Amino acid sequence: MKPVRLFGASLLALGLMAGTAASTFAGPGDITYRQKVMGAVGGHMGAMSTIIKGQGGDMKHFAMHADAMAALARMAQSVFPKDSTQMEGKTKALDAIWEKTADFAKVRDNFVVYADKLAAAAKGGDKAAIGAALGELGKNSCKACHTDYKGK
């Protein structure tokens, strides 16, 4: 087999394996990944709150944090797969996530909607509009999820 074909076949095989691995949640590593994704959400939320309150950071960075939040909102759509409550490991995710799937899906969808609104406001540059959008994200997404779906 020619080197180019071998390289192409190898890439195809790696892509297929990666696609399979990415769509399969099988154990405590997946809980760890979910916690890291949600930790990143908290990190960006904290950084944006610090910036908007004038307690530190740089307003020039805000839009980057908001864009990251919008991307993380999309990632969060797939880190709570069906029956992942049965995975080994410690998690604060409540069983209500899998018992009230339609409601939880609505909460996740709202995360995307409000994160996108925040990213759009951040691009506009109006600090009052940005602050309002950040508050709406916190109220209608973060708090809405943590109240019913995250344990202490």
Side-chain angles (χ1 to χ4, degrees), residues 5 13 26 35 43 61 67 76 78 92 99 103 146 150 152:
R5 285 188 188 153
Q35 291 168 339
H61 297 169
D67 286 341
S78 63
K92 292 180 183 176
E99 294 166 357
D103 187 59
H146 289 196
K150 183 180 179 188
K152 305 289 180 217

Side-chain angles (χ1 to χ4, degrees), residues 11-47:
L11 284 178
L12 178 61
L14 284 173
L16 291 172
M17 287 187 294
T20 301
S23 65
T24 304
F25 283 76
D30 298 312
I31 290 174
T32 299
Y33 178 73
R34 174 169 63 217
Q35 291 168 339
K36 298 297 182 188
V37 168
M38 300 315 288
V41 167
H44 285 288
M45 192 68 169

Side-chain angles (χ1 to χ4, degrees), residues 13 22 26 56 71 76 81 88 110 112 115 119 129 134 146 148 150:
E88 294 178 21
N110 281 341
V112 172
L134 183 63
H146 289 196
D148 294 330
K150 183 180 179 188

Side-chain angles (χ1 to χ4, degrees), residues 54-79:
Q55 297 172 338
D58 188 335
M59 195 63 190
K60 293 175 189 172
H61 297 169
F62 196 97
M64 290 181 277
H65 287 292
D67 286 341
M69 185 67 81
L72 288 164
R74 284 168 176 73
M75 283 182 222
Q77 300 299 304
S78 63
V79 297

Side-chain angles (χ1 to χ4, degrees), residues 137-149:
L137 173 66
K139 175 184 166 190
N140 296 305
S141 181
C142 302
K143 185 176 187 223
C145 185
H146 289 196
T147 298
D148 294 330
Y149 300 105

Side-chain angles (χ1 to χ4, degrees), residues 101-111 140:
T101 55
D103 187 59
F104 186 65
K106 182 180 171 186
V107 170
R108 284 192 333 261
D109 290 346
N110 281 341
F111 185 15
N140 296 305

